[in-house]
């Protein structure tokens, strides 16, 4: 029966949808606004991954780049203000790393349509997630624990 078939297809797609990044509690840094924004970045990566798997990567590329640019602008500002506020000692270096990512995003966003492809942008997003959020941002958590212990 066609209806049963389509229900099966939907069910299969829901149960076996391959989420690229599954959010785990250990990703939380303990700073609610930053954790919330990191989760937003993961959602964007997962949505874009889903679009690519369903052959919508090309048409989603521009809206996703524009969205990530705006989101990055806000997120880095929030993070830098927070680090200033809690006198994070490595603030200058962290701003340098953010500036490199800002620069890379401007470069990607400035490319012509012909020179962009979803796979390259996904590589950039994965690098941002793995090298920056999971590694460089992780130190805030340790720093906050250190401050807490001193109190
Ligand atoms: Fe971050
Ligand atoms: Fe950061």
């Amino acid at each position: 029966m066609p209806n049963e078939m389509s229900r099966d297809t939907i069910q299969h797609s829901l149960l076996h949808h391959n989420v690229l990044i599954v959010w785990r509690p250990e990703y939380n840094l303990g700073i609610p606004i930053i954790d919330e924004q990191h989760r937003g970045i993961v959602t964007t990566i997962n949505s874009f991954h889903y679009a690519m798997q369903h052959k919508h990567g090309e048409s989603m590329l521009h809206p996703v780049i524009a969205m990530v640019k705006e989101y990055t602008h806000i997120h880095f500002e929030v993070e830098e203000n927070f680090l200033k506020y809690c006198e994070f000692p490595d603030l200058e270096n962290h701003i340098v790393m953010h500036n490199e990512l800002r620069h890379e995003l401007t470069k990607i966003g400035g490319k012509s349509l012909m020179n962009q492809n979803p796979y390259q942008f996904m590589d950039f997003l994965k690098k941002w997630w793995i090298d920056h959020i999971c590694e460089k941002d992780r130190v805030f958590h340790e720093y906050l624990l250190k401050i807490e212990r001193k109190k």
Side-chain angles (χ1 to χ4, degrees):
M1 283 198 299
N3 275 347
E4 286 301 312
M5 283 276 291
S6 62
R7 204 190 300 156
D8 281 353
T9 311
I10 292 165
Q11 195 177 27
H12 179 87
S13 159
L14 290 173
L15 292 177
H16 301 279
H17 165 49
N18 160 22
V19 177
L20 190 63
I21 303 165
V22 178
W23 185 267
R24 299 202 193 115
E26 58 263 37
Y27 294 147
N28 285 316
L29 302 178
I31 311 147
I33 183 67
I34 293 177
D35 289 332
E36 185 66 33
Q37 292 178 348
H38 284 168
R39 274 200 295 274
I41 292 158
V42 166
T43 303
T44 306
I45 296 175
N46 283 337
S47 302
F48 189 47
H49 174 73
Y50 182 87
M52 283 173 72
Q53 282 193 319
H54 292 82
K55 316 246 181 288
H56 297 299
E58 298 274 344
S59 57
M60 284 287 289
L61 184 60
H62 271 255
V64 172
I65 290 177
M67 199 257 200
V68 169
K69 272 173 84 173
E70 283 305 312
Y71 208 84
T72 307
H73 177 72
I74 295 163
H75 175 61
F76 287 173
E77 201 174 87
V78 167
E79 224 174 76
E80 288 165 13
N81 284 336
F82 175 79
L83 295 181
K84 267 179 217 156
Y85 170 77
C86 63
E87 297 173 340
F88 182 66
D90 211 21
L91 170 69
E92 292 307 315
N93 265 336
H94 206 87
I95 294 177
V96 169
M97 290 185 268
H98 281 177
N99 284 342
E100 282 166 8
L101 287 164
R102 283 179 176 110
H103 178 71
E104 212 172 326
L105 254 178
T106 310
K107 229 168 68 184
I108 293 170
K111 280 184 181 177
S112 66
L113 274 175
M114 291 280 288
N115 292 317
Q116 289 183 345
N117 82 62
Y119 295 94
Q120 274 172 348
F121 191 59
M122 183 51 96
D123 283 345
F124 166 79
L125 292 175
K126 281 186 197 162
K127 203 179 87 183
W128 182 21
W129 165 249
I130 295 164
D131 295 348
H132 191 84
I133 299 175
C134 289
E135 203 184 301
K136 307 293 189 319
D137 288 351
R138 188 84 227 145
V139 295
F140 310 157
H141 180 68
E142 281 121 50
Y143 178 67
L144 287 178
L145 286 178
K146 220 156 82 182
I147 293 178
E148 282 297 310
R149 277 198 294 266
K150 280 185 186 164
K151 276 183 190 169

